[in-house]
Amino acid sequence: MPAFDNQPLQAIRSAFLDFTDDPFYTAESDSVRYISDGLLIVENGIITDFGEYNTLRSQYAHIPITTYPDRLIMPGFIDTHVHYSQYEMIAAYGEQLLEWLSKYVFPTERKFKDKAHAEKIATLFFDELIKQGTTTALVFATVHPESVDAFFEEASRRNLRMISGKVLMDRNAPDYITDTPETAYEDSKKLIQKWHKNGRLLYAVTPRFAPTSTPEQLHTVAKLLQEFPDIYLQTHISENKKEVAWVAELFPESQGYLDVYDRAGLVGEKSIFAHGIHLTDAEFERLSNAKSAIAFCPTSNLFLGSGLFKLTQAKSSQHPVKVGFGTDVGAGTSFSILHTAHEAYKVAQLQGESLSAFKALYLATLGGAKALSLEDKIGNFNPGKEADFIVLDPKATTLMATRNQSFPAQSLEELAQPLFGLMMLGDDRAIQAVYIAGKLAHSLAAI
């Protein structure tokens, strides 16, 4: 299907919040854009104008306006790491990473050889993502090509901006979910040719993590990246201390976990590494120099007892690394980016640091877009970008309405407190509406 079909000119009026720069490095007053009464103009799924309502109203007086009073409109949330295949095993009890994979993940992923099962879970997965306000995600499928086809077919039907790929594993996993370097290459190549840049879809070559790929398979990944230089690389890194030690045993010639990927030629500008909890200073520096990204997955890291991500180090001015939020379902315990942000705040607090709502929601929007090298297409309301946006209700529940009495806010300073309240207390009930490429895809009013 076409990415954007013919749509009439649309005008949306409400309060708007987005980001024009990174508040980790630029003052919030200079990087956060808040318009208490704004107008967003959309045509054929693309933002064509944006600004103060009073400035634009006469220019677009001929267009019917959809108004969301006492609401806050933001760009759609971006999830930089999630496993759609683990939808049905979220909240699996009692293990840490390596044991959890063997006990729960691998048997669950076995089912995705069945295309019908993959289609069923893909439908449920996208229903949940959209309900939570997530409009773009970087997603793990399984080792089965059927799982990738099912994912992309459903994403295409909904006209979503999505990235995914077949998982590659040729060792240290049950035979029923392993491939070989040769089949990994051939299957991935066919899937890339079929799905990459098909509408709004993009492909990520996806070795699960270093322990489940031989050096030979990692080199086939590099071959794919060379043949298709605009595809993505997604994998895991330094999530768990036992995992890090295991990698050192499996790759004794390496100078550390990241070096395994680096020696294979997998560390680049479109490489996204999930977790990175136990990265060394040198590894942070290398990721910065390579312009690679880290997916920060706080609910997963806490659930599996993996550790606390060093966000301040990742966002240092000396060696800055691109960072976005990842829900990492099924180790993550919620599809909600709002919930992910409030757990990220707690991770920062446990390290004696603070994470403002503005910084957190930057990671959820423009920061995530930059992590995925998509800031030219999504992430804020600049004209020319794709019109994926969400309508938030900071007073969605009785508790939130009591906490956030100061909303609507007339200024950025006034917004800070109710925005933090929304981040800490909000969930899918706070997502009043979701627009995908300018079309209403979800509305609580319709339920």
Side-chain angles (χ1 to χ4, degrees), residues 168-173 177-181 212-217:
L168 313 181
M169 297 191 290
D170 66 339
R171 66 170 174 177
N172 293 324
I177 53 165
T178 55
D179 54 13
T180 67
T212 49
S213 287
T214 59
E216 292 74 22
Q217 187 173 72

Side-chain angles (χ1 to χ4, degrees), residues 55-74:
T55 302
L56 298 176
R57 60 188 295 186
S58 60
Q59 185 178 347
Y60 298 102
H62 60 292
I63 304 171
I65 295 176
T66 301
T67 303
Y68 288 99
D70 300 336
R71 299 295 185 264
L72 180 67
I73 296 182
M74 290 190 65

Side-chain angles (χ1 to χ4, degrees), residues 27-268:
E28 291 179 348
S29 59
D30 296 324
S31 56
V32 183
R33 178 166 53 186
Y34 176 61
I35 301 177
S36 61
D37 186 9
L39 194 66
L40 183 73
I41 306 299
V42 177
E43 185 173 16
N44 294 328
I46 301 295
I47 297 166
T48 58
D49 209 348
F50 176 60
E52 298 277 355
Y53 171 74
N54 286 336
T55 302
L56 298 176
R57 60 188 295 186
S58 60
Q59 185 178 347
Y60 298 102
H62 60 292
I63 304 171
I65 295 176
T66 301
T67 303
Y68 288 99
D70 300 336
R71 299 295 185 264
L72 180 67
I73 296 182
M74 290 190 65
F77 292 145
I78 297 169
D79 188 340
T80 62
H81 182 64
V82 60
H83 298 253
Y84 101 89
S85 55
Q86 295 173 19
Y87 177 95
E88 65 184 305
M89 49 146 294
I90 190 172
Y93 171 75
E95 305 291 349
Q96 294 201 344
L97 175 64
L98 300 179
E99 297 80 10
W100 175 83
L101 285 168
S102 296
K103 185 173 182 179
Y104 297 114
V105 174
F106 295 154
T108 299
E109 293 192 355
R110 181 179 194 172
K111 302 176 187 178
F112 284 77
K113 174 67 175 173
D114 178 0
K115 178 89 178 292
H117 177 78
E119 290 170 343
K120 172 188 172 183
I121 299 299
T123 299
L124 293 171
F125 174 80
F126 285 120
D127 286 347
E128 190 68 29
L129 276 197
I130 293 171
K131 182 176 76 172
Q132 299 288 357
T134 298
T135 55
T136 290
L138 176 61
V139 185
F140 271 59
T142 71
V143 72
H144 313 99
E146 296 88 346
S147 73
V148 182
D149 284 333
F151 176 88
F152 279 135
E153 286 165 8
E154 185 63 18
S156 178
R157 188 181 71 79
R158 299 174 190 242
N159 198 22
L160 289 162
R161 170 66 69 186
M162 287 285 153
I163 314 170
S164 188
K166 169 189 142 54
V167 172
L168 313 181
M169 297 191 290
D170 66 339
R171 66 170 174 177
N172 293 324
D175 291 344
Y176 57 75
I177 53 165
T178 55
D179 54 13
T180 67
E182 295 74 25
T183 59
Y185 173 81
E186 294 298 334
D187 289 345
S188 296
K189 185 171 183 176
K190 290 176 184 176
L191 291 165
I192 291 166
Q193 292 169 331
K194 182 177 183 180
W195 293 113
H196 187 57
K197 293 187 173 179
N198 181 341
R200 303 182 74 198
L201 307 175
L202 298 164
Y203 198 88
V205 63
T206 307
R208 175 169 234 117
F209 66 156
T212 49
S213 287
T214 59
E216 292 74 22
Q217 187 173 72
L218 293 178
H219 285 292
T220 68
V221 173
K223 184 178 179 183
L224 290 166
L225 294 175
Q226 290 162 6
E227 291 181 25
F228 303 95
D230 61 348
I231 63 172
Y232 292 82
L233 178 284
Q234 64 171 340
T235 190
H236 300 81
I237 192 169
S238 299
E239 180 178 359
N240 171 284
K241 289 183 178 179
K242 287 184 180 179
E243 169 209 11
V244 174
W246 191 21
V247 170
E249 293 176 7
L250 292 170
F251 298 89
E253 74 288 352
S254 72
Q255 301 303 306
Y257 201 149
L258 182 63
D259 189 51
V260 172
Y261 297 130
D262 220 352
R263 285 170 182 254
L266 310 187
V267 181

Side-chain angles (χ1 to χ4, degrees), residues 296-303 307 325-327 339-341 343-345 347:
F296 173 23
C297 308
T299 74
S300 168
N301 300 157
L302 295 172
F303 180 74
F325 281 139
T327 60
H339 184 84
T340 302
E343 291 298 304
Y345 173 81
V347 167

